């Protein structure tokens, strides 16, 4: 069965330190992977996607993600965290059966402490 | 251009009442999705429109829920005989061509008392 796992409910990072939010997936074929961020009382905002090409994908707000096929992972990273990065982060993979659906992770709450 | 617009932003209603939630997608986006989100959870798929037709309504929890998109643009999610368990944030998203990302509205927070 297709799935996305975000193994950490919450990640705490000190401001200025690098951050990583983990995501692993299970789909057949080549995955289309996405990261979204959700600030309080807002909808989800697209951060970045991997479709094909370079394994390191750069996105909005200085975030990047590394696609690792052998480890079936797509971890979100940022070299230097800001307090304003505190939010809920969702990883998603396109459902290979439907082509229009996304399979969502449960989300990771990122807390950046000053 | 303008993003996805959802109205109202908040709706409080009494158990048993009927509610309508509106979504105005990005102009030109043919794909439109409704999701439901409970606190601290990921989006739960409800229904997907391609143009005017509901291509997949398998996520609608029961027949109290219905959605329309009569002209292929604005969509309305309708909930009859609301129950307290319907309380959640209802998110709408639209999408352009195939591999483009979803664009979400800010959601409607529905509270059933």
């Amino acid at each position: 069965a297709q799935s996305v796992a975000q193994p950490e409910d919450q990640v705490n990072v000190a401001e200025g330190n690098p951050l990583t939010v983990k995501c692993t997936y299970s789909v057949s074929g080549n995955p289309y992977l996405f990261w979204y961020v959700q600030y309080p009382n807002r909808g989800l905002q697209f951060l970045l996607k991997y479709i094909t090409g370079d394994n390191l994908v750069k996105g909005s707000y200085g975030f990047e993600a590394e696609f690792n096929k052998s480890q079936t992972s797509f971890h979100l990273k940022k070299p230097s965290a800001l307090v304003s990065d505190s939010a809920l982060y969702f990883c998603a993979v396109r459902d290979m059966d439907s082509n229009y659906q996304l399979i969502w992770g449960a989300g990771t709450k990122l807390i950046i402490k000053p | 251009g303008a993003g996805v617009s959802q109205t109202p932003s908040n709706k409080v209603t009494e158990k048993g009442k009927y509610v309508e939630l509106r979504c105005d997608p990005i102009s030109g986006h043919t794909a439109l999705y409704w999701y439901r989100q409970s606190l601290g959870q990921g989006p739960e798929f409800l229904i997907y429109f391609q143009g005017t037709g509901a291509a997949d309504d398998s996520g609608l929890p029961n027949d109290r829920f219905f959605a329309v998109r009569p002209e292929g643009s604005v969509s309305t999610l309708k909930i009859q005989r609301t129950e307290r368990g319907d309380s959640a944030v209802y998110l709408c998203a639209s999408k352009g061509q195939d591999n483009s990302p979803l664009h979400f509205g800010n959601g409607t927070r529905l509270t059933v008392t």
Side-chain angles (χ1 to χ4, degrees):
Chain A
Q2 302 178 92
S3 64
V4 173
Q6 294 182 241
E8 303 149 318
D9 290 338
Q10 183 170 309
V11 171
N12 298 299
V13 177
E15 186 178 27
N17 282 2
L19 70 86
T20 299
V21 182
K22 295 180 180 177
C23 172
T24 59
Y25 64 90
S26 174
V27 296
S28 55
N30 295 320
Y32 291 9
L33 294 152
F34 302 83
W35 275 103
Y36 287 81
V37 60
Q38 187 175 33
Y39 298 101
N41 300 313
R42 303 296 296 271
L44 283 74
Q45 293 179 37
F46 169 72
L47 275 180
L48 51 80
K49 66 179 180 180
Y50 172 82
I51 304 296
T52 186
D54 283 345
N55 290 342
L56 186 64
V57 179
K58 293 190 183 298
S60 307
Y61 312 122
F63 283 92
E64 58 189 28
E66 186 167 12
F67 171 63
N68 187 317
K69 189 171 184 177
S70 63
Q71 296 186 6
T72 62
S73 67
F74 190 55
H75 300 332
L76 182 69
K77 301 183 180 189
K78 186 172 181 180
S80 178
L82 300 172
V83 172
S84 57
D85 293 330
S86 299
L88 198 52
Y89 289 80
F90 292 96
C91 180
V93 66
R94 194 179 79 171
D95 184 332
M96 305 306 270
D97 293 334
S98 78
N99 258 15
Y100 56 83
Q101 278 274 37
L102 289 180
I103 300 167
W104 295 89
T108 298
K109 186 174 184 179
L110 178 63
I111 297 176
I112 309 299
K113 298 185 176 178
Chain B
V4 177
S5 175
Q6 289 189 247
T7 54
S9 54
N10 280 284
K11 175 73 177 176
V12 180
T13 190
E14 292 179 349
K15 179 176 177 296
K17 298 289 188 184
Y18 168 82
V19 296
E20 289 190 352
L21 312 180
R22 176 188 167 109
C23 173
D24 202 336
I26 292 173
S27 177
H29 280 190
T30 56
L32 185 146
Y33 300 72
W34 283 99
Y35 289 91
R36 181 166 69 176
Q37 188 179 28
S38 300
L39 192 63
Q41 311 255 331
E44 173 195 359
F45 170 76
L46 295 177
I47 187 168
Y48 159 67
F49 287 90
Q50 183 58 248
T52 59
D56 183 351
D57 64 358
S58 63
L60 295 177
N62 51 60
D63 61 6
R64 295 186 297 105
F65 289 74
F66 189 71
V68 296
R69 195 185 184 198
E71 296 176 359
S73 178
V74 171
S75 176
T76 305
L77 178 66
K78 308 180 181 197
I79 310 174
Q80 297 177 324
R81 304 183 304 281
T82 51
E83 299 177 356
R84 292 194 181 89
D86 299 335
S87 297
V89 175
Y90 289 81
L91 294 170
C92 176
S94 69
K95 190 164 83 77
Q97 55 196 352
D98 263 355
N99 294 329
S100 59
L102 292 175
H103 295 265
F104 283 84
N106 285 333
T108 294
R109 182 176 299 278
L110 176 66
T111 303
V112 182
T113 62

